[in-house]
Amino acid sequence: MARMLREERPSSKIVTIESFSVIKERFEPYESSVFEASGYKWRLILYVTGNKPDGGHNHISLYVRIEDTNSLPQGWELNVDLKLFVYNHKQNKYLTVTDGTVKRYNDAKKEWGFGQMIPLTTFYNTNEGYIMQDTCSFGAEIFIVNPTHQQEKVTFMPNPSNTSEGLSNNVFTWKILHFSILEDKFYYSDDFLVGDRYWRLGFNPKGDGGGRPHALPLYLYAQGFKPNAVDTNTWGAVNLRLKNQRSSNHRQLYSAAWYPIRSDYGVGVNNIILFTDLKDASKGYLVNDAIIFEAEMVKVSVTNIISA
């Protein structure tokens, strides 16, 4: 069992007993008045000398019992997250006791709690603070655990293909013409659909960040979602490529990241090629004042809501 002190009062029930010494030797339980919590009726059951059949010898034992079950449908069952409390006057906090398990209430088991709530030696020790001026308090917190009927499933799709214009299998190709007269600003490709999300490439022909003004940048941006898609962060893994138009000596960078839900978040590189190499006609990257970028989508995540 886990025990900890907290300042917040129990949310379901508190029972305060004055002149506690009057009942300190009694073996029969004290049953509280009926209280409502989470839409059901309950009682707090207190054994001041311990519930011995439940291992409560030399302990305070405390339980919660469900009431009025005749009004519940046949075969009823409740899963309850149960916490029980003893007030510590000295620290002005509640000792919280739980064992981390969900309690299953039904016709066969209507009462749950802890036989060894707190040792009597601790409880009666005036230095501990659980009894003050012959007064003590106990409490309960009851939350119904309603299992979800749905779950969110994240799947990683390798080499995802799509039929968007400009996308062959899992490779999107973007040819930029008239490179030499492009302005100092970001240019963006058309959006292409891979998985449940639209993507696009972007670059500034004059450079960006630490690569400016010596190198050409290239970024992949996550955009909006297709209709009825589940909008969550999206994993995007891509080979960003500047094609060599005369050989297979392409410039390529692998990039992988979680792309946030918002649009226009880009990940890539600010130096896929130096401008000196790009403008060297013998190297084959800039041909007839045109360059070709490719985005080879290696892996993307797709999220679906399915039955649990």
Side-chain angles (χ1 to χ4, degrees), residues 56-168:
H57 182 66
N58 292 325
H59 285 76
I60 293 287
S61 301
L62 191 61
Y63 303 86
V64 170
R65 187 175 69 215
I66 190 168
E67 299 289 326
D68 292 351
T69 58
N70 290 336
S71 62
L72 300 179
Q74 186 176 4
W76 67 271
E77 185 172 271
L78 296 176
N79 295 311
V80 175
D81 182 5
L82 178 66
K83 294 183 178 69
L84 298 177
F85 302 82
V86 185
Y87 182 59
N88 189 301
H89 298 263
K90 191 173 182 178
Q91 300 191 50
N92 194 26
K93 293 180 179 179
Y94 286 86
L95 175 68
T96 308
V97 181
T98 181
D99 65 0
T101 64
V102 174
K103 309 304 180 187
R104 184 167 294 175
Y105 283 79
N106 50 40
D107 272 326
K109 181 70 171 176
K110 298 181 181 180
E111 185 174 300
W112 286 93
F114 306 116
Q116 298 183 0
M117 180 73 181
I118 184 173
L120 293 178
T121 53
T122 302
F123 182 74
Y124 285 116
N125 187 335
T126 55
N127 292 325
E128 294 285 347
Y130 291 102
I131 292 184
M132 182 173 289
Q133 297 179 351
D134 205 19
T135 298
C136 56
S137 295
F138 303 90
E141 200 163 78
I142 299 165
F143 291 102
I144 303 298
V145 178
N146 292 314
T148 181
H149 298 293
Q150 292 184 327
Q151 63 175 311
E152 185 171 302
K153 183 179 181 181
V154 181
T155 303
F156 293 90
M157 300 171 54
N159 302 315
S161 61
N162 209 287
T163 57
S164 293
E165 184 178 351
L167 190 64
S168 175

Side-chain angles (χ1 to χ4, degrees), residues 201-275:
L201 293 174
F203 80 105
N204 186 322
K206 306 303 180 183
D208 183 56
R212 186 184 180 93
H214 307 292
L216 184 69
L218 179 59
Y219 303 100
L220 176 70
Y221 294 84
Q223 297 300 101
F225 295 83
K226 72 179 185 181
N228 301 317
V230 180
D231 54 343
T232 65
N233 281 21
T234 309
W235 179 258
V238 61
N239 287 321
L240 294 171
R241 188 179 299 130
L242 172 65
K243 288 203 69 175
N244 190 307
Q245 300 177 59
R246 291 178 177 157
S247 74
S248 60
N249 186 27
H250 310 306
R251 294 296 179 94
Q252 179 173 297
L253 169 83
Y254 174 79
S255 172
W258 280 110
Y259 288 78
I261 297 171
R262 72 177 191 271
S263 298
D264 294 323
Y265 180 85
V267 177
V269 61
N270 59 24
N271 58 351
I272 198 164
I273 192 172
L274 295 174
F275 284 127

Side-chain angles (χ1 to χ4, degrees), residues 272-289:
I272 198 164
I273 192 172
L274 295 174
F275 284 127
T276 53
D277 292 332
L278 177 67
K279 295 175 181 179
D280 186 336
S282 68
K283 295 190 174 181
Y285 296 102
L286 180 63
V287 176
N288 295 327
D289 205 23

